[in-house]
Amino acid sequence: MASTMSPVNIPTAMRPSKSVVDLVKNVMSDLISSLENEGSTDESENVNNSTVDCRDKSVDLDKSQVQNETSEIKPTPSPRSKEAFQKRVKTFTSSLWCGKPLSLSPPLLAQYGWECIGEDIAKCCTCSVVIAVRLPWPNKDNYRSECEKAQENVIRGHLRICSWPSNYCSDVLLHPFDDVQYLSIQDKLDLKKKFFKRFENLMSLREKLPVMTAEVHKDMNLNEDVICQFLDESSSEDEELLKCISSVHDKVKISAALLALCGWDASSFNLVSGNPGVECEETGRTIGLWNFHSISDEDNDFQPTPAKKQRHESLLVIKKQFFHPVNQHHVWSPWVTTLSSLSAANLIGLSSSVVNEDKPAGWKIVRDFLLPVADLSGANTTPLKSGERCSMKNTPYKTPPAAAVQRAMKMLDEWSSPHHEAQNVALI
């Protein structure tokens, strides 16, 4: 039985007409479609706008990255440039490369592309070949032949495809200081500018600078009056230099001038550790000045008072020395020695000296340029030859047996245990 509320039983007046229903459906569908179209349009616009913004940001980011990468990228220096050459030379430290003759000195190996990577071990910066240069004691019969083999290996120890044997660094890097008569105007200006830059850096050490003895003045053929006159004349043309040397003791100015004349500069670890030191830019040699008599020590006349002497009677005290700006350089430094290249034509053997006697040492060239009218009357008029150490005879560079034994004993003392050191102090 059909229900009374079924659509069939609904009266005609109560049911909506079909046209009304269709009209409502059409209106609702139009309304819904319009709303959907507006929403999709907004979303598409937002998407499009965000996409454009992202693209713009990505383009800006790419441009900034390219600019940053371009600014950070630095051209790699040529292995035969002066910068790369000095970098290789400085890898041959005293602890890794010692006891070698001048024919196997660091500049000659760096000239052929070798850098030190370990004790008595060198590596080519191009072909990566590794060679070991271990020599017998100088008093052995095979010392000369082993040195000649090592020299030969420095030149021809590379791979066959390596270009260093035939295209080594220029000889100019071995002797960067040319004679004054061959210097151009720009070279002279650079030489003078570098000197005063080292001088001003050294002046910051003040009374911590080492004392320059009469022996130093005699060996360098310079007296205090000539140096002071040169600084006074130079300061009259330079206000910064005048501020630097004003109200400073003459001993400070003379010490800084002689050190700068020989290529020494204030060490970079002065600011870090607070301990005074000097360094050579050409060789990388760094020396602490606390082991040498300073200008501030001169007031005490370099003699310990009775109280200090009694206080240190039972202690092992390091005896201070006088600093010599020439002798403290490495024996192969261009400031004191001019080396010849180890080319195949010059490779005759250990008997032939690698020192170029025709070219003066670097410090003499700087001195002759800056002080051409120096009054050297009463000073030592015998000039030092290239490679000769001041106040020493011009003999081949060879460590005497007694000095070698003393150095060996000193190294053993440094390596000994604290108990052994205590025994040595007690014996002293």
Side-chain angles (χ1 to χ4, degrees), residues 350-362:
L350 194 65
S351 58
S352 61
S353 176
V354 294
V355 177
N356 190 347
E357 300 288 351
D358 298 332
K359 289 185 175 294

Side-chain angles (χ1 to χ4, degrees), residues 227-353:
I227 298 174
C228 292
Q229 182 180 358
F230 164 71
L231 293 176
D232 293 338
E233 293 177 354
S234 301
S235 61
S236 62
E237 303 174 356
D238 191 342
E239 295 182 358
E240 293 184 359
L241 181 62
L242 180 61
K243 294 179 181 179
C244 181
I245 65 175
S246 60
S247 68
V248 177
H249 199 278
D250 287 345
K251 293 182 179 180
V252 176
K253 295 187 292 186
I254 292 171
S255 178
L258 291 178
L259 289 172
L261 195 67
C262 295
W264 295 106
D265 198 350
S267 178
S268 57
F269 70 81
N270 292 330
L271 300 176
V272 179
S273 63
N275 296 321
V278 293
E279 62 182 357
C280 174
E281 182 183 0
E282 295 290 336
T283 63
R285 177 171 172 81
T286 304
I287 302 178
L289 297 178
W290 52 85
N291 288 331
F292 299 91
H293 292 296
S294 63
I295 298 176
S296 60
D297 296 336
E298 196 171 22
D299 296 335
N300 299 328
D301 200 21
F302 307 114
Q303 297 295 332
T305 61
K308 292 182 180 180
K309 186 175 181 181
Q310 184 178 3
R311 192 185 323 151
H312 295 290
E313 279 183 352
S314 59
L315 298 178
L316 182 61
V317 181
I318 299 177
K319 185 178 180 181
K320 288 188 176 183
Q321 302 176 352
F322 290 100
F323 190 94
H324 200 299
V326 177
N327 291 347
Q328 287 299 327
H329 275 290
H330 286 303
V331 69
W332 44 264
S333 173
W335 285 101
V336 297
T337 305
T338 303
L339 299 174
S340 299
S341 174
L342 276 182
S343 61
N346 295 332
L347 189 61
I348 306 175
L350 194 65
S351 58
S352 61
S353 176

Side-chain angles (χ1 to χ4, degrees), residues 376-390:
L376 306 180
S377 60
N380 182 17
T381 57
T382 304
L384 294 174
K385 296 182 179 180
S386 178
E388 182 182 0
R389 310 292 274 181
C390 290

Side-chain angles (χ1 to χ4, degrees), residues 127-173:
C127 63
S128 299
V129 168
V130 177
I131 60 173
V133 184
R134 294 188 173 96
L135 303 175
W137 290 100
N139 57 352
K140 296 294 184 180
D141 296 336
N142 63 336
Y143 177 75
R144 183 184 299 272
S145 61
E146 291 298 322
C147 288
E148 293 177 357
K149 290 180 182 178
Q151 291 176 242
E152 184 84 12
N153 206 20
V154 169
I155 299 177
R156 299 183 176 89
H158 301 268
L159 293 179
R160 291 185 177 180
I161 60 174
C162 189
S163 60
W164 281 107
S166 59
N167 188 19
Y168 48 88
C169 291
S170 173
D171 293 348
V172 176
L173 300 180

